[in-house]
Amino acid sequence: MSSWSIVSGTMSQDRETTQKPIGIIDIGSNSVRLVVYTAQTRIPIPLHNEKEICALGKGLEKTGCLNSDGVKMAFDALTRFVKIANSLNVERLDVLATAAVRDAIDGKDFAKAVEKRCGVRVQILTGKQEARRSALGVLCGAPDAEGVVADLGGGSLELVHIAKGDLTEHTTLPLGLLRLAEAAEDDRVKAVAIINKALEKHKWVTGRAKDQSLFAVGGAWRALARVCIAQMNYPLHVLDNFALDRQQALSLFDVIARQGPRSLENIKGVSKSRLVNLPMAAAVLERLIEITKPKNLVFSIYGMREGQFFKALPENLRKQDPLIGLAEDMAVKAGRSPQVGHDTFEWMSALFPDETPKQRRLRLAACILRDAWWMEHPDYRGEQAFLRMLRLPFLGLGHEDRAGLALAMFYRYGGEASEPVVKQAHALLEESRIFRVQTIGMALRLAYVLAPGGSAILNKRAKLSIQSKVLVLTLAEGEPMFSAGSYPRRLQRLAAHLGLDHRIDWK
């Protein structure tokens, strides 16, 4: 599963994909949600995303049955969602039911009624199936993820250990927020006791994320992440792969626990319904951090639905690098060939002799995206490219890597480090990292003027090298492309940035 390659790309038959959208309906304990993804590509990009709070699992602990009011709401929501999916001409529509329907006495009857009323098949997931899809969701966006995936819903908590792309131990616990709040009577001390008792039966969890990550999945924890971002005055308001080290997370949760709802309700993006459950959600996550002992806490926007999407992909698509696949898709949609980016990547590699595999991957993504914003107004290309990459909700990168890629795009279009728009990205990176992405951006600018319409000229008739502290551009004698143009000036700027002299050789 983790054997993807950064050089697999558009040029192979692997990228022949189904172009019709794919729909997934998630019948959860608290909400019923429809997500329609644009197509069967490596990255699940939402075309439509809508939910209805039905609280099917409300009262389940006491009655053993689904909430009757919630059932009525769910029928209405599901009727609407199926209609929307059909109107979007989906290739397939997967309807999945989780903990509340799975555990309720009348859960199977409810599923059959949905099937009859809506004309769809409802799959009631087992705890193992739900846990597996949550883990696959994390791996969909981050194939090299290692640690424990924790998915908190309204009816259950799924825990899965992932290592080298494989799912090892897993556990499903009745610690969903609706159940836990009812069982603990909204008392935090009682809730912690219930959490401890449940986890005592699953010793594999203890210390399982040591030197690895704890991946927090689910809407309640995404709301908690928003609160953390606000408390920290963090420069980037993007939830995807927002990370905190262990002690930082515990300290923040302690501060949040001592604040009243009024002080939190003005935080952008956090609904009042989420605020009610925030203390309980924080209690569960805090206890998990203390037990699993992770190096850091990572909030993932990918979960069970993305896992279902990923599970349905052909094997060849699952093996693709999600970042490179996304970059190639963006280039194609901009009317540019990803092959130009791959060739540009090889052309400038002499400037980066000692880079790590991770650095190579990010540089390749930047090269593939070289001309993706050519249709923007020239005065705003750098800013538009920067903001798009910085804020893209499903990029699947840690925030430092996201900021680095955004800055590389900014400098590709001639942006200056002093411009206010890039301050939030600069704040996330060390000076050496900023220097590197500036180098990439300047090299991309030089590559573009040497070969704006294609890539063949770059590696066949223009060679870039460093010789005895001199940046050398070797060009083919008599090539009409080089009879004029701004490449001498851009070569000089790149050399000055690197602290090198420069020259142009003709051969």
Side-chain angles (χ1 to χ4, degrees):
M1 190 179 303
S2 59
S3 59
W4 44 268
S5 168
I6 67 170
V7 295
S8 63
T10 302
M11 294 65 65
S12 73
Q13 293 182 352
D14 290 354
R15 292 183 58 83
E16 292 182 2
T17 60
T18 301
Q19 293 305 308
K20 288 185 178 181
I22 296 171
I24 297 174
I25 293 178
D26 175 6
I27 306 175
S29 301
N30 189 44
S31 66
V32 176
R33 183 185 291 270
L34 165 69
V35 183
V36 178
Y37 298 103
T38 52
Q40 193 174 346
T41 56
R42 178 56 182 80
I43 291 291
I45 301 175
L47 174 66
H48 182 83
N49 191 333
E50 182 177 340
K51 74 174 180 180
E52 191 73 33
I53 302 297
C54 300
L56 283 172
K58 184 178 180 180
L60 181 62
E61 278 294 292
K62 296 180 179 179
T63 68
C65 297
L66 296 174
N67 171 21
S68 58
D69 291 335
V71 167
K72 295 176 184 177
M73 294 175 65
F75 280 144
D76 291 340
L78 289 166
T79 301
R80 169 180 166 79
F81 289 169
V82 171
K83 187 73 173 179
I84 291 173
N86 289 336
S87 72
L88 292 172
N89 195 28
V90 295
E91 175 77 12
R92 55 183 289 174
L93 178 62
D94 296 333
V95 184
L96 310 176
T98 55
V101 177
R102 176 173 67 238
D103 296 340
I105 297 170
D106 55 350
K108 289 184 179 179
D109 291 337
F110 168 77
K112 289 179 181 178
V114 171
E115 290 179 340
K116 183 176 181 180
R117 178 177 296 205
C118 300
V120 294
R121 177 178 174 270
V122 177
Q123 182 182 1
I124 302 175
L125 298 180
T126 65
K128 180 179 181 180
Q129 289 172 330
E130 186 176 353
R132 179 177 176 79
R133 281 163 175 76
S134 297
L136 285 175
V138 171
L139 290 170
C140 179
D144 57 351
E146 303 243 330
V148 173
V149 174
D151 187 350
L152 180 66
S156 63
L157 169 67
E158 273 66 54
L159 299 174
V160 189
H161 183 252
I162 51 177
K164 296 180 179 179
D166 293 324
L167 316 182
T168 58
E169 296 97 338
H170 74 276
T171 294
T172 297
L173 300 172
L175 295 177
L177 287 179
L178 291 178
R179 282 184 169 180
L180 185 59
E182 290 173 4
E185 298 175 328
D186 290 319
D187 184 284
R188 182 184 172 90
V189 175
K190 289 182 180 179
V192 171
I194 293 170
I195 295 165
N196 288 338
K197 185 176 179 180
L199 288 171
E200 282 175 2
K201 301 176 183 178
H202 303 278
K203 296 295 185 183
W204 73 264
V205 178
T206 304
R208 203 65 176 95
K210 189 175 181 181
D211 298 325
Q212 295 180 330
S213 298
L214 175 64
F215 297 92
V217 176
W221 284 339
R222 288 195 295 272
L224 183 61
R226 290 187 188 280
V227 175
C228 291
I229 286 172
Q231 291 291 320
M232 297 167 64
N233 290 318
Y234 190 72
L236 182 56
H237 290 199
V238 174
L239 299 184
D240 182 31
N241 281 282
F242 170 58
L244 300 166
D245 66 49
R246 184 170 67 206
Q247 290 305 319
Q248 187 181 29
L250 292 174
S251 297
L252 275 169
F253 295 166
D254 182 58
V255 171
I256 292 168
R258 287 188 268 107
Q259 296 191 27
R262 287 188 178 181
S263 62
L264 300 174
E265 63 186 10
N266 292 325
I267 294 175
K268 186 178 180 180
V270 181
S271 66
K272 290 184 179 180
S273 61
R274 290 295 187 195
L275 282 177
V276 173
N277 294 319
L278 201 63
M280 208 62 70
V284 176
L285 190 52
E286 183 177 355
R287 194 69 194 103
L288 278 176
I289 292 172
E290 293 170 346
I291 292 172
T292 60
K293 302 187 186 311
K295 176 181 66 176
N296 64 353
L297 170 67
V298 180
F299 292 92
S300 174
I301 63 170
Y302 284 6
M304 191 273 289
R305 292 178 295 275
E306 289 75 22
Q308 176 69 15
F309 172 93
F310 188 57
K311 179 177 178 293
L313 288 179
E315 182 69 19
N316 56 353
L317 284 180
R318 286 204 300 271
K319 287 185 176 181
Q320 285 184 2
D321 181 329
L323 174 62
I324 303 307
L326 176 62
E328 291 181 340
D329 288 340
M330 292 175 69
V332 169
K333 288 175 182 176
R336 298 303 203 197
S337 168
Q339 184 63 58
V340 174
H342 285 268
D343 290 342
T344 302
F345 169 82
E346 296 297 338
W347 173 82
M348 69 165 69
S349 289
L351 303 180
F352 307 95
D354 301 317
E355 64 186 349
T356 65
K358 178 181 177 181
Q359 289 173 328
R360 283 175 58 83
R361 177 187 184 229
L362 291 167
R363 181 168 65 85
L364 175 58
C367 290
I368 294 169
L369 292 167
R370 190 189 89 168
D371 304 326
W373 284 272
W374 70 275
M375 289 187 292
E376 300 291 342
H377 188 286
D379 292 347
Y380 302 106
R381 280 177 187 153
E383 182 177 339
Q384 293 284 61
F386 168 78
L387 292 175
R388 177 66 169 156
M389 297 313 301
L390 191 69
R391 297 172 179 174
L392 198 68
F394 42 78
L395 194 54
L397 289 177
H399 282 195
E400 289 184 7
D401 294 337
R402 173 188 287 269
L405 185 55
L407 283 171
M409 293 295 95
F410 179 73
Y411 293 122
R412 148 67 181 102
Y413 289 105
E416 297 293 336
S418 59
E419 294 184 39
V421 71
V422 300
K423 286 185 178 180
Q424 55 184 326
H426 278 195
L428 294 171
L429 302 180
E430 296 179 351
E431 286 298 321
S432 59
R433 184 75 176 270
I434 295 172
F435 180 84
R436 174 183 167 82
V437 297
Q438 286 175 327
T439 304
I440 294 171
M442 290 181 178
L444 289 173
R445 287 179 63 73
L446 175 59
Y448 176 75
V449 295
L450 288 170
S455 58
I457 289 176
L458 270 183
N459 290 306
K460 292 181 179 179
R461 302 201 173 192
K463 182 180 179 182
L464 197 64
S465 61
I466 296 177
Q467 303 173 19
S468 302
K469 297 185 179 181
V470 178
L471 181 63
V472 179
L473 178 62
T474 303
L475 301 177
E477 188 77 48
E479 169 57 56
M481 283 289 292
F482 308 141
S483 61
S486 60
Y487 65 85
R489 184 171 67 254
R490 292 190 179 183
L491 175 68
Q492 187 275 328
R493 288 198 66 187
L494 176 59
H497 169 73
L498 294 171
L500 303 173
D501 291 329
H502 70 284
R503 74 168 188 264
I504 298 174
D505 288 347
W506 297 90
K507 288 186 179 180

